[in-house]
Every structure is written in C-alpha cells, then in structure tokens.
Amino acid sequence: MTQNKTYLFANWKMYLDYDESNILANALAEKSKKFSDEIEMTVFPSALSLYPVAQTLSDVKINVGPQNIYWVDKGGYTGETSAQMFKAAGSSHALIGHSERRHLFHETNHDVRQKIEASLNAELTPVLCVGETEKERDEGKTEEIVEIQLRATLEDLNWPKDRELIVAYEPVWAIGTGNACDPAEAERMHDKIFNWIKGLAPGISPVLLYGGSVRGENVEGYLQMSHINGVLVGGSSAKLESWMEIIENSTRAVEKL
Ligand code: PGA
C-alpha cells in the first residue's frame, strides 16, 4: 500500500432505518477502543440518520459522510440536501458518483463533477466512485470508461493540497452480486487509476479503494495489493458481525505488511 493507513469505508446504502443505524453506530463506538490506529474508518448512513450517527461517533475517530449531496448550497430544490448542510451536521466525507446514483438515478459525469466541486467548497472530502458495467467490461471498454469518468471529474480541478483525493474503483458487476473482482485484476485497474490521477492532479498522492462484494473472507487479498489502500463495503458493512470480521481480518493484514 502506498499510504500508511488502511481505509475501511462503510456504505450503509438504504439498508438501515433510523433505529438500526443508531444501534450499529453505538455498537461501533463501543468497540472502537480496540480498533488499530492504522485503520481509518468512515461510515455513510442514510441522510435521515446522519446527524445522530455523527454525534455518536464524533468522540471515537470514526468519520461520517452522506451517500450523496446536492451541489447548490440552499434554495428551491425539493428533496435535496447540500454539501454544506451535511458538513454542518457533522460530516467530514461524502460519497460521490456511486454506481447506484449513476445507473438508478441517471447521474452524469457532469453532475458528479459539480458534486465533487461542491464537496471541496464545503470542506468535505469527496470519495469519488468509478467503475464499468458488465456490458462495458464484456466489450473490452473498462479502461476507456474509467478514464473518461476520472477525466470528466478531475481535469483542471486544482485539487487542494490539504485534502485527500480518494477514489473507489467499484466495477458495477461486482456490486452486491457476490461476484467480487479478483484482487490481481483490481490491482491492474488501480495501477492505471493511480497513473491517470498523477497526470490529472499532479503532486497529489491518491488514496485508492476497491469496492464490490468485499467480505471478511476476501478483504485481505485486496489489502495486500500495492495500490489498494482500503475498501468500500456495502452489504457486509451494514451488519455488526460481518463488519467486525472485515475489521479484524484487515487489522491482521495490516500487521503482516
Ligand atoms: P457491496 O457494495 O459491498 O454490497 O457489493 C459496495 C458498494 O456499493 O459500495
């Protein structure tokens, strides 16, 4: 790994209601004393649960962020919540361009770019998600698609030197399917992503995550790869038992490095 820390990011999606989110946050707060200092954890609860979860986790060094933001600060945008509002509610990060946003809610690369800019302006650290669909992969277009996603979002952006540039490579065909990308194949893409970002944001050393059907039993394989700094986990992060298994196995992997 190119960074000193290991990043374990939990995307709770719409799996947990208000009570369930708070129960899981409380359980993590309680267990956090035993978490290694080398693990950087961030949870992404639903917008509804974000404020109390952020309050619960504020003392225990677990970061919190929304799963999506809107790029205007305030105004007549029914149903949306701005980056600034999430910042004020205790967020430090924001998931941007998750494939479910892109494919179910038709978010474009242009939208993603506006959300990245709004996150930076609100002093949130965006976690940019990229990845190809199964069809694009079958057509041999993986590299082309991911490069377009990165270029459209990051070109000429002048990334602030004090903000981490975090990109999660999440092949769409691996998300929620149990069909995780082979770590060596993921590493090949991470190596490419690393080099594209070097060109797009000179002088910035990116943090690269893998996401897509990460489980306790396969997490170590990713963390052993030199360009994979951590994982973004959906289904297995929304249950205490499976998330703890990921934390424990990651800690073991980190100690071995
Ligand atoms: P999954 O989701 O771990 O359930 O595959 C990952 C993600 O969508 O970020």
Side-chain angles (χ1 to χ4, degrees):
M1 289 182 291
T2 49
Q3 307 280 341
N4 299 329
K5 290 183 287 184
T6 295
Y7 295 72
L8 300 183
F9 281 17
N11 175 10
W12 293 352
K13 307 197 184 190
M14 208 177 72
Y15 289 132
L16 304 177
D17 67 18
Y18 186 84
D19 287 343
E20 291 163 337
S21 303
N22 284 305
I23 290 168
L24 183 53
N26 276 309
L28 290 177
E30 209 166 285
K31 293 197 178 286
S32 66
K33 287 170 225 98
K34 295 202 188 122
F35 296 167
S36 158
D37 288 341
E38 279 149 53
I39 300 236
E40 166 107 356
M41 197 179 300
T42 304
V43 302
F44 298 91
S46 70
L48 177 71
S49 314
L50 185 137
Y51 179 72
V53 167
Q55 297 259 300
T56 302
L57 299 179
S58 63
D59 294 336
V60 299
K61 292 201 221 132
I62 299 178
N63 311 309
V64 175
Q67 299 167 11
N68 177 38
I69 56 121
Y70 194 58
W71 56 81
V72 179
D73 293 343
K74 264 187 175 177
Y77 300 94
T78 302
E80 296 293 334
T81 309
S82 70
Q84 290 211 337
M85 290 173 181
F86 281 121
K87 173 75 182 178
S91 306
S92 54
H93 291 68
L95 271 191
I96 305 290
H98 187 276
S99 76
E100 284 153 13
R101 299 293 322 160
R102 292 178 189 263
H103 297 290
L104 301 175
F105 301 100
H106 314 294
E107 256 183 37
T108 64
N109 281 325
H110 181 66
D111 297 337
V112 171
R113 175 158 185 134
Q114 302 211 71
K115 291 180 181 199
I116 291 279
E117 288 177 351
S119 303
L120 293 175
N121 288 337
E123 298 191 353
L124 294 176
T125 300
V127 179
L128 168 63
C129 304
V130 297
E132 80 289 359
T133 63
E134 185 163 27
K135 182 167 177 284
E136 288 160 348
R137 181 187 193 222
D138 291 347
E139 289 168 357
K141 290 187 181 159
T142 299
E143 288 180 23
E144 184 192 333
I145 293 293
V146 173
E147 190 182 1
I148 287 170
Q149 290 172 337
L150 288 172
R151 207 164 276 292
T153 320
L154 299 177
E155 199 151 48
D156 302 325
L157 198 58
N158 206 3
W159 199 268
K161 292 270 177 285
D162 60 351
R163 204 77 52 83
E164 284 185 317
L165 197 170
I166 309 179
V167 173
Y169 170 58
E170 297 202 302
V172 180
W173 47 269
I175 294 179
T177 58
N179 181 23
C181 182
D182 177 70
E185 186 183 339
E187 172 68 357
R188 271 197 298 281
M189 273 312 289
H190 280 80
D191 185 44
K192 299 234 171 275
I193 291 169
F194 187 85
N195 287 313
W196 285 321
I197 293 176
K198 284 268 163 213
L200 290 165
I204 305 273
S205 181
V207 172
L208 302 185
L209 315 180
Y210 166 76
S213 295
V214 174
R215 307 271 182 272
E217 64 263 23
N218 64 15
V219 69
E220 287 186 66
Y222 298 107
L223 298 181
Q224 282 157 6
M225 298 292 149
S226 65
H227 282 121
I228 302 184
N229 308 113
V231 287
L232 174 58
V233 184
S236 296
S237 75
K239 287 179 236 90
L240 184 63
E241 204 177 63
S242 46
W243 186 232
M244 285 306 297
E245 194 185 337
I246 288 177
I247 296 168
E248 280 154 20
N249 291 355
S250 301
T251 307
R252 224 187 2 260
V254 175
E255 280 164 2
K256 277 192 220 149
L257 291 172

